[in-house]
Amino acid sequence: MLSAKIQEVLNGQIEVEASSSQFYLAMASWAEANGLNGVANFLYAHSDEERQHMLKLVKFINERGGKAVVPQLAKPPEDFESIQTIFQSLYDHEVKVTAEINSVVDLCLQEKDYTTHNFMQWYVAEQIEEEALAADLLDKLKLIGGDNGGLYLFDRDLETMQTSE
Ligand code: FEO
């Protein structure tokens, strides 16, 4: 059985993952509308993954005798300045998500909820991959700078790139 405190932070994490999914969906749509189909594919897949991260939490809370709450979400941006700003935002966002996950893990230890602590380790591992991938893509974009040929190849590479999970 989940304590009220743990249930509250896990429901908070549902909102974080759902908002991430919406944010990346908005980025994907912008990229698609701007002719960057590889980037769009990558971001659509990333958005789907975040939805899976959210679902995993919903099911865990309910399985543990708690009550998962499907949250209302803020509207994500409609427009983005550039592909560079998209990947900078994505990286910054993942760093924030990692901090949120760490605080959930921290509370699990304080509350001696080792079952939820164990469950959250999947998210801890996932964040390592997500941050590394986002940092790598951001580095590539920094190298490319304003070179359209480089951007074309970057977009083409992302067409087939796997997101983390
Ligand atoms: Fe579910 Fe990208 O964190």
Side-chain angles (χ1 to χ4, degrees), residues 43-160:
L43 290 168
Y44 279 129
H46 206 346
S47 171
D48 282 347
E49 274 176 24
E50 299 300 353
R51 183 176 152 74
Q52 291 306 318
H53 298 176
M54 174 200 68
L55 272 178
K56 230 176 149 77
L57 282 151
V58 168
K59 291 180 177 174
F60 178 78
I61 294 171
N62 292 334
E63 254 170 41
R64 297 287 300 151
K67 186 177 182 225
V69 179
V70 176
Q72 183 171 18
L73 302 174
K75 184 177 180 291
E78 280 178 36
D79 289 306
F80 298 88
E81 211 174 289
S82 66
I83 201 67
Q84 279 85 358
T85 56
I86 281 189
F87 280 92
Q88 183 68 56
S89 300
L90 191 144
Y91 175 74
D92 294 345
H93 188 77
E94 287 302 330
V95 169
K96 265 193 254 162
V97 172
T98 301
E100 305 274 0
I101 286 168
N102 288 345
S103 75
V104 175
V105 170
D106 201 38
L107 189 73
C108 289
L109 290 176
Q110 281 173 43
E111 296 273 299
K112 297 190 168 32
D113 182 344
Y114 302 114
T115 308
T116 305
H117 182 271
N118 184 54
F119 168 75
M120 289 304 295
Q121 294 313 300
W122 184 87
Y123 289 84
V124 170
E126 176 67 11
Q127 284 312 115
I128 297 171
E129 284 186 36
E130 293 214 352
E131 275 192 39
L133 180 59
D136 183 46
L137 293 175
L138 196 52
D139 282 348
K140 283 195 171 73
L141 281 170
K142 281 180 185 158
L143 275 175
I144 292 166
D147 176 42
N148 281 338
L151 190 57
Y152 172 81
L153 293 174
F154 178 84
D155 186 60
R156 206 184 59 180
D157 283 355
L158 254 62
E159 191 96 46
T160 50

